[in-house]
């Protein structure tokens, strides 16, 4: 709480205030390479900074500035050591041993050791932790302290993508004593204490979170003395902030401004990678339109849609058309070819299948993915061009869309097709195929096209438990090819993740899990 | 007078409970499984079920209602499902920002609006009146979102004199207050103009002039004072609009007030915070209405509340 009588007094100075209003973000630093404050405008006000409870990419990114997991993905999507120096999987795939980095301390002075790893993972798995989100990490049966610098994690079942899953912010290690220091409680952390390059300084709800440099960081030292993550929900305002020099970095500027921003001398647009696939999910049981049961009809829909034009006109280049039912960043990806835009072929296939002039209803959210509703409009337009009678419903807000229209059992489906995106939280096809197997029909999972192909299910089930990495990759690849041919979706594109920075900043990079890493940024 | 106030406050209590019931119904009719939304798209069914249970959302709706009302009676607004913090704390940390904007913009709107209205009325049907009237129409019809962006582009991006967003700079309040005041300025100016025009032709104004009172005295002490009632009504009504306008204004300017809290909570299906925030808005409106009614009696001694 903060009283603000100051603002009232300032009213008197309204007219002269113009003189004193400028705000400088990176102060006059002596050395060119470090010092000062990096101001980052993000769209999301964190619900919580508790590593165990967060669910949002932006929040994960903040959490991971303060706390660190045992290992992480680098820019090339390969695993690199962080708090663990080495790891080994047992031959049966049921346990993993980690050798921990030694001499690391939490920012409150507590030593980092095996007990802290066990404490953090146990806490994340405990039902007593406020809205904790173990997700796939629920596969952990126990974490055992071997000695101060070794832990052994035992799984309930073999889970080959386990190491990838351990990169998630939920698996970050927190200082055990810090959870009982106010305002933290064992159930809910508000002020995370970890080993990361920055430490939590303050948070004003809805306004900003400030991080200070961790002077005793074990790795190479961060360059900025502080970073301020400013919460700015409106995309146009975020863009204005960076144009006005009041922020150094701005997330997700309005997509239609990307071309202009890319032209600007003072600004840099970074199209960060993402593992998010965007697709038009087709109601494959054909609840309203039985013709959709035929794979040939669904293939025809894929040929009818001009993906390149959509990427260019609705996404302003911030995407790549899909050539597999998953992003290139995932383990298990292989190219399956493309459905090239071919309206004549589509028309012929529809005619052959007796689906000429077929009626379709499409639904789409608005404000969830870049240009989402415009994409749905473009898809509807392309399908009309091949003679289909397409009704595109008014857009919905995401919570309503997800829980009432999309994440519903097959008999409650609301449309023939719906726009959806899916971004695995770690880079493994196991998570992508979650939405293509029948055990994940809503409301259990998000297989919202109710797609089921026994061969795909068998391959995926086998791959999910396969300890031989090459075989596993092969199985996912084969499953992907079958899915591509079955076309339960109109495969659209792999989204990119745009941010804009001033030319005064360098060293920011994006990861395929949609996080940007600002920890190692420096003044240019 | 005191007994009147006491009666009004007592009447406000059942009104507030009615409001609470309506809010509860609206929030729960709105749909969207909060557990699913909170858990995120990638969550496993186990995650969703556990969260649903932790938040008490697996209870029958009637039970949830009784718990909500029971807590409300004890002054407890519940716990945010988004942050795990007491709703009261969430609201208390945000309310000062919204109050600041509402008060500053009301002062601005009243000062500028009444002034413009009086000037327009005294220049009836000449170019000044026309200019002010056009400006008022402009102000009333300008979309807040558009105006907000224009001001940001002008003062922050082009002139570099004011912060574009946020509340952690001392001048951060200027643009949002102006934006918020803009609509009300037009409205109050129009109302003042017509109220003044009605009064200016009346006998007592002519008498005041005839007895030799100077022009400012005639305008302010005689005419404006008698034209005040409808103006006060409009200002009272405007306060409600300001609270509503706060939602958009706070979003554009990244101002961490109650409007933003409400929007974020609606999108996160954070039912306790939505209920709490709307409840506080409703209570504020009831209070402002009461205050407006009492002001009538002060301004016009013929009005008496017994």
């Amino acid at each position: 709480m903060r009283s603000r009588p100051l603002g009232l007094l300032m009213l008197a100075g309204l007219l002269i205030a113009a003189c004193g209003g400028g705000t400088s973000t990176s102060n006059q630093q002596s050395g060119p390479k470090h010092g000062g404050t990096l101001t980052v405008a993000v769209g999301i006000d964190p619900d919580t900074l508790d590593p165990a409870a967060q669910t949002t990419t932006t929040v994960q990114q903040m959490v991971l500035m303060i706390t660190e997991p045992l290992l992480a993905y680098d820019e090339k999507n390969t695993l690199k050591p962080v708090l663990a120096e080495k790891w080994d999987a047992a031959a049966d795939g049921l346990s993993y041993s980690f050798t921990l980095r030694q001499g690391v301390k939490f920012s409150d002075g507590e030593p980092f050791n095996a007990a802290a790893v066990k404490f953090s993972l146990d806490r994340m798995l405990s039902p007593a932790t406020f809205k904790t989100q173990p997700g796939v990490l629920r596969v952990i049966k126990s974490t055992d302290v071997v000695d101060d610098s070794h832990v052994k994690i035992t799984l309930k079942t073999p889970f080959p993508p386990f190491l990838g899953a351990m990169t998630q912010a939920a698996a970050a290690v927190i200082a055990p004593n810090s959870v009982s220091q106010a305002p933290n409680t064992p159930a809910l952390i508000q002020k995370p204490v970890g080993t990361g390059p920055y430490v939590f300084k303050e948070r004003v709800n809805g306004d900003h979170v400030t991080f200070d440099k961790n002077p005793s960081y074990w790795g190479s030292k961060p360059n900025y003395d502080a970073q301020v993550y400013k919460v700015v929900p409106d995309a146009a305002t975020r863009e204005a902030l960076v144009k006005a020099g009041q922020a150094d970095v701005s997330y997700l500027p309005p997509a239609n401004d990307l071309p202009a921003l890319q032209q600007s001398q003072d600004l840099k647009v970074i199209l960060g990678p993402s593992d998010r696939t965007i697709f038009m999910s087709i109601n494959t049981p054909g609840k309203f339109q039985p013709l959709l049961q035929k794979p040939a009809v669904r293939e025809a829909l894929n040929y009818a849609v001009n993906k390149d034009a959509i990427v260019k006109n609705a996404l302003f280049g911030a995407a790549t058309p899909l050539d597999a039912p998953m992003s290139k960043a995932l383990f298990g990806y292989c190219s399956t070819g493309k459905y090239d835009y071919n309206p004549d072929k589509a028309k012929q296939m529809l005619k052959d299948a007796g689906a000429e002039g077929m009626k379709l209803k499409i639904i789409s959210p608005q404000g969830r993915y870049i240009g989402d509703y415009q994409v749905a409009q473009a898809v509807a337009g392309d399908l009309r061009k091949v003679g289909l009678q397409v009704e595109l419903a008014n857009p919905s807000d995401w919570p309503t869309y997800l829980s009432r229209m999309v994440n519903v059992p097959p008999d409650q489906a609301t449309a023939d097709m719906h726009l959806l995106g899916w971004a695995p939280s770690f880079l493994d096809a196991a998570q992508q195929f979650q939405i293509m197997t029948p055990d994940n029909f809503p409301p259990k999972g998000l297989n919202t096209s109710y797609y089921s192909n026994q061969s795909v299910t068998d391959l995926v089930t086998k791959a999910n438990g396969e300890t031989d990495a090459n075989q596993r990759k092969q199985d996912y690849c084969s499953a992907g090819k079958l899915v591509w041919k079955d076309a339960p979706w109109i495969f659209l594109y792999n989204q990119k993740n745009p941010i804009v920075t001033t030319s005064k900043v360098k060293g920011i990079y994006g990861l395929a899990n949609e996080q940007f890493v600002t920890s190692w940024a420096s003044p240019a | 007078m005191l007994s009147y106030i006491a009666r009004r406050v007592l009447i406000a209590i059942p009104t507030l409970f009615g409001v609470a019931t309506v809010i509860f119904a609206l929030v729960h009719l709105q749909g969207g499984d909060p557990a699913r939304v909170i858990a995120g798209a990638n969550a496993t069914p186990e995650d969703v079920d556990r969260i649903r249970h932790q938040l008490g959302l697996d209870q029958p709706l009637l039970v949830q209602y009784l718990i909500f009302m029971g807590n409300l009676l004890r002054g407890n607004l519940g716990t945010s499902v988004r942050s795990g913090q007491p709703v009261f704390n969430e609201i208390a940390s945000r309310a000062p920002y919204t109050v600041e904007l509402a008060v500053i913009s009301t002062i601005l709107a009243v000062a500028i609006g009444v002034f413009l209205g009086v000037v327009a009325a005294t220049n009836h049907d000449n170019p000044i009146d026309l200019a002010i009237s056009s400006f008022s129409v402009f102000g009333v019809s300008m979309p807040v979102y558009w105006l907000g962006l224009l001001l940001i582009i002008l003062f922050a991006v082009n002139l570099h004199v004011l912060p574009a967003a946020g509340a952690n700079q001392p001048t951060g309040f200027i643009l949002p207050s102006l934006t918020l005041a803009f609509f009300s300025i037009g409205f109050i100016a129009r109302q003042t103009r017509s109220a003044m025009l009605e009064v200016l032709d009346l006998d007592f104004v002519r008498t005041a002039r005839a007895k030799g009172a100077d022009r400012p005295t005639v305008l302010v002490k005689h005419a404006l004072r008698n034209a005040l009632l409808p103006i006060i009504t409009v200002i009272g009504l405007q306060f409600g609009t300001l609270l509503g306008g706060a939602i958009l204004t706070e979003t554009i300017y990244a101002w961490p007030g109650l409007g933003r809290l409400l929007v974020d909570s609606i999108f996160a299906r954070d039912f306790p915070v939505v209920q709490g925030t709307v409840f506080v808005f409703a209570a504020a409106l009831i209070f402002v209405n009461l205050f407006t009614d009492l002001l009538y009696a002060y301004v016009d001694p013929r009005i008496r509340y017994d």
Side-chain angles (χ1 to χ4, degrees), chain A residues 4 45 131 237 246 403 444, chain B residues 32 45 54 82 100 164 252:
Chain A
R4 303 185 48 84
D45 186 29
K131 64 171 190 178
T237 311
Q246 294 172 9
S403 54
K444 207 167 173 312
Chain B
Q54 275 190 348
R82 238 179 116 240
E100 177 183 344
I252 302 167

Side-chain angles (χ1 to χ4, degrees), chain A residues 2 4 21 23 45 127 129 131-133 135 138 190 206-207 230 234 237 246 399-400 403-404 407 423 444, chain B residues 29 32-33 36 39 42 44-47 50-51 54 82 85 97 100 145 161-162 164 167 252 260 267 269:
Chain A
R2 191 175 135 203
R4 303 185 48 84
T23 51
D45 186 29
T129 306
K131 64 171 190 178
T132 177
Q133 299 270 329
R138 195 170 270 120
Q190 295 187 59
D207 197 67
K230 224 172 144 73
D234 187 70
T237 311
Q246 294 172 9
T400 311
S403 54
R404 278 208 173 163
N407 187 30
K444 207 167 173 312
Chain B
L29 285 176
D33 176 3
R36 179 83 234 178
N42 290 18
T44 60
E46 291 91 336
D47 287 333
R50 180 193 286 182
I51 284 171
Q54 275 190 348
R82 238 179 116 240
Q85 301 302 307
Y97 294 98
E100 177 183 344
Y145 186 80
V161 290
L162 288 174
I252 302 167
R260 279 266 307 292
F267 279 115
R269 295 297 187 263

Side-chain angles (χ1 to χ4, degrees), chain A residues 420-431:
Chain A
L420 198 67
W422 180 253
S425 47
F426 55 94
L427 308 177
D428 196 286
Q431 275 226 320

Side-chain angles (χ1 to χ4, degrees), chain A residues 22-296:
Chain A
T23 51
S24 69
T25 44
S26 29
N27 295 326
Q28 313 74 12
Q29 53 268 35
S30 45
K33 296 281 184 199
H34 52 84
T37 300
L38 182 78
T39 304
V40 181
V42 297
I44 307 264
D45 186 29
D47 48 352
T48 167
L49 292 173
D50 190 331
Q54 48 64 36
T55 58
T56 320
T57 317
T58 313
V59 182
Q60 284 154 6
Q61 185 183 321
M62 297 187 208
V63 167
L64 289 174
M65 290 171 75
I66 310 168
T67 62
E68 295 175 304
L70 296 182
L71 64 176
Y73 285 110
D74 64 12
E75 284 175 88
K76 295 190 182 97
N77 304 327
T78 49
L79 293 169
K80 63 169 185 186
V82 183
L83 287 179
E85 283 180 320
K86 285 190 300 198
W87 48 85
D88 274 313
D92 59 3
L94 273 171
S95 67
Y96 288 79
S97 302
F98 293 88
T99 306
L100 305 180
R101 195 175 290 280
Q102 290 192 278
V104 175
K105 280 191 177 346
F106 290 103
S107 59
D108 63 354
E110 261 187 274
F112 161 75
N113 53 26
V117 175
K118 176 175 168 57
F119 175 84
S120 302
L121 293 178
D122 286 353
R123 178 180 178 275
M124 183 257 310
L125 291 165
S126 161
T129 306
F130 177 70
K131 64 171 190 178
T132 177
Q133 299 270 329
V136 293
L137 290 174
R138 195 170 270 120
V139 75
I140 296 176
K141 189 175 158 200
S142 65
T143 306
D144 298 298
V145 175
V146 179
D147 59 38
D148 213 37
S149 58
H150 291 84
V151 279
K152 183 180 169 194
I153 299 177
T154 310
L155 308 185
K156 293 172 186 160
T157 54
F159 184 62
F162 180 66
L163 290 172
M166 285 294 286
T167 64
Q168 296 175 99
V173 185
I174 44 170
N177 289 336
S178 71
V179 304
S180 26
Q181 308 281 321
N184 296 343
T185 64
L188 177 64
I189 294 176
Q190 295 187 59
K191 215 178 141 176
V193 177
T195 56
Y198 282 86
V199 295
F200 174 89
K201 172 142 183 265
E202 66 152 4
R203 171 168 184 201
V204 174
N205 286 344
D207 197 67
H208 68 274
V209 183
T210 306
F211 307 88
D212 274 350
K213 182 160 130 173
N214 178 359
S216 55
Y217 184 59
W218 57 267
S220 62
K221 305 277 181 283
N223 299 303
Y224 283 100
D225 291 339
Q227 299 204 4
V228 177
Y229 272 59
K230 224 172 144 73
V231 180
V232 183
D234 187 70
T237 311
R238 284 199 300 275
E239 184 186 356
L241 275 170
V242 78
K243 278 184 172 170
Q246 294 172 9
D248 304 297
V249 186
S250 201
Y251 278 48
L252 285 177
N256 51 352
D257 286 350
L258 284 176
L261 291 170
Q262 278 161 334
Q263 299 283 312
S264 163
Q265 300 269 307
D266 310 320
L267 302 173
K268 277 188 294 191
V269 172
I270 303 176
L271 290 177
S274 160
D275 63 352
R276 189 178 296 277
T277 43
I278 303 282
F279 48 88
M280 200 50 100
S281 178
I282 301 172
N283 185 289
T284 57
K287 181 186 172 198
F288 305 104
Q289 179 51 270
L291 286 163
L292 291 175
Q293 291 165 5
K294 299 186 185 179

Side-chain angles (χ1 to χ4, degrees), chain B residues 230-252:
Chain B
I231 299 174
I232 288 174
T233 311
V234 166
I235 295 171
L237 288 174
Q238 280 311 291
F239 200 78
T241 317
L242 287 182
L243 290 179
I247 292 174
L248 263 181
T249 313
E250 289 178 1
T251 301
I252 302 167

